[in-house]
């Protein structure tokens, strides 16, 4: 049975519970059912009228936010010992965590708005921001909206493209990593530009007075 048929069978049996229980499992790194396919198929069912639009969208958002909250809590309570002990089973090495921490400290919380779209990263975001002890205020401002953007994007594919949803989903997933990298580079560029704009002018270019200054004449 392929993934699409598996997701369809789950919806036939459990309907909205697939979203409320399945999406948190996706965030816990047990993608059963897979998040992208589940959300897109949910949008398609809403397009057909099999599911109601707003309840299905609310269940999807709720499931994603539950997943972020649970994994953030696990990471914050258990801390680095969790990854040191069990990370090998998920192919996570301490060196990878250290690199992630440096990258996160360099680019800031705004990266959470896009990391949910990166294949293989979404399932570990909650753990990492918990282990790094990112303040919960930042989770509210960036992680939850980032999860919501992910939900709305894939839900919209199913709802907007209707019967063609599988074709569009395959194309999107094929190029998603490049789209995510491009979006991240744009955000980083904007942040660097804003930082440059806020820097004192004297740090950006020589002052006019310095250009006009001439060496004193010798007596």
């Amino acid at each position: 049975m392929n993934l699409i048929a598996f997701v369809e069978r789950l919806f036939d049996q459990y309907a909205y519970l697939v979203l409320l229980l399945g999406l948190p499992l996706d965030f816990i790194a047990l993608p059963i059912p897979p998040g992208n396919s589940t959300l897109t198929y949910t949008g398609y069912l809403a397009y057909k009228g099999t599911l109601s639009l707003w309840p299905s969208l609310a269940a999807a958002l709720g499931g994603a936010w539950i997943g972020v909250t649970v994994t953030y809590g696990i990471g914050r309570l258990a801390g680095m010992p969790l990854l040191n002990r069990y990370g090998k089973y998920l192919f996570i090495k301490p060196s990878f965590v250290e690199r992630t921490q440096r990258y996160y400290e360099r680019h800031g919380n705004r990266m959470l708005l896009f990391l949910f779209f990166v294949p293989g990263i979404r399932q570990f975001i909650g753990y990492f921001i918990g282990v790094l002890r990112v303040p919960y205020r930042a989770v509210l401002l960036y992680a939850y909206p980032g999860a919501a953007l992910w939900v709305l994007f894939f839900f919209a594919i199913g709802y907007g493209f209707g019967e063609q949803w599988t074709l569009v989903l395959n194309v999107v997933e094929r190029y998603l990593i490049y789209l995510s990298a491009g979006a991240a580079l744009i955000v980083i560029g904007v942040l660097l530009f804003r930082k440059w704009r806020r820097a004192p002018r004297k740090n950006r270019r020589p002052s006019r007075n310095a250009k006009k200054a001439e060496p004193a004449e010798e007596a």
Side-chain angles (χ1 to χ4, degrees), residues 151-165:
V151 168
L152 293 173
F153 178 80
F154 284 98
F155 187 96
I157 291 176
Y159 191 80
F161 289 94
E163 301 295 339
Q164 304 299 318
W165 73 273

Side-chain angles (χ1 to χ4, degrees), residues 88-104:
K88 60 183 179 181
Y89 300 109
L90 300 173
F91 306 102
I92 302 175
K93 298 180 179 179
S95 59
F96 177 73
V97 178
E98 294 174 2
R99 290 197 303 271
T100 303
Q101 182 174 5
R102 290 196 299 268
Y103 184 83
Y104 186 87

Side-chain angles (χ1 to χ4, degrees), residues 49-114:
T50 305
L51 294 178
S52 299
L53 173 60
W54 297 113
S56 59
L57 190 55
L61 289 171
W65 288 336
I66 290 172
V68 172
T69 305
V70 169
T71 52
Y72 172 78
I74 293 174
R76 191 172 181 89
L77 291 175
M80 186 60 82
L82 172 71
L83 294 180
N84 289 337
R85 184 170 182 178
Y86 299 105
K88 60 183 179 181
Y89 300 109
L90 300 173
F91 306 102
I92 302 175
K93 298 180 179 179
S95 59
F96 177 73
V97 178
E98 294 174 2
R99 290 197 303 271
T100 303
Q101 182 174 5
R102 290 196 299 268
Y103 184 83
Y104 186 87
E105 291 174 348
R106 187 181 308 123
H107 300 296
N109 296 321
R110 292 178 180 84
M111 295 303 299
L112 293 175
L113 295 172
F114 300 96

Side-chain angles (χ1 to χ4, degrees), residues 63-219:
W65 288 336
I66 290 172
V68 172
T69 305
V70 169
T71 52
Y72 172 78
I74 293 174
R76 191 172 181 89
L77 291 175
M80 186 60 82
L82 172 71
L83 294 180
N84 289 337
R85 184 170 182 178
Y86 299 105
K88 60 183 179 181
Y89 300 109
L90 300 173
F91 306 102
I92 302 175
K93 298 180 179 179
S95 59
F96 177 73
V97 178
E98 294 174 2
R99 290 197 303 271
T100 303
Q101 182 174 5
R102 290 196 299 268
Y103 184 83
Y104 186 87
E105 291 174 348
R106 187 181 308 123
H107 300 296
N109 296 321
R110 292 178 180 84
M111 295 303 299
L112 293 175
L113 295 172
F114 300 96
L115 288 178
F116 290 91
F117 291 90
V118 181
I121 298 296
R122 179 181 67 256
Q123 290 83 358
F124 305 108
I125 292 175
Y127 295 117
F128 279 128
I129 60 179
V131 168
L132 299 179
R133 296 194 171 276
V134 173
Y136 189 66
R137 181 175 179 274
V139 177
L140 288 173
L141 292 176
Y142 298 101
Y144 288 169
L149 289 175
W150 169 68
V151 168
L152 293 173
F153 178 80
F154 284 98
F155 187 96
I157 291 176
Y159 191 80
F161 289 94
E163 301 295 339
Q164 304 299 318
W165 73 273
T166 54
L167 175 63
V168 177
L169 177 63
N170 289 334
V171 173
V172 168
E173 289 195 320
R174 186 181 307 166
Y175 297 103
L176 188 59
I177 188 170
Y178 303 107
L179 295 173
S180 303
L185 289 175
I186 291 174
V187 171
I188 292 172
V190 170
L191 294 177
L192 291 176
F193 177 74
R194 291 176 62 183
K195 184 177 181 180
W196 177 80
R197 287 286 300 271
R198 288 196 299 264
R201 291 182 178 275
K202 63 181 180 180
N203 292 339
R204 287 190 275 158
R205 60 185 180 185
S207 65
R208 295 180 180 179
N209 293 334
K211 292 182 180 180
K212 293 181 180 179
E214 297 179 358
E217 296 180 1
E218 296 181 0

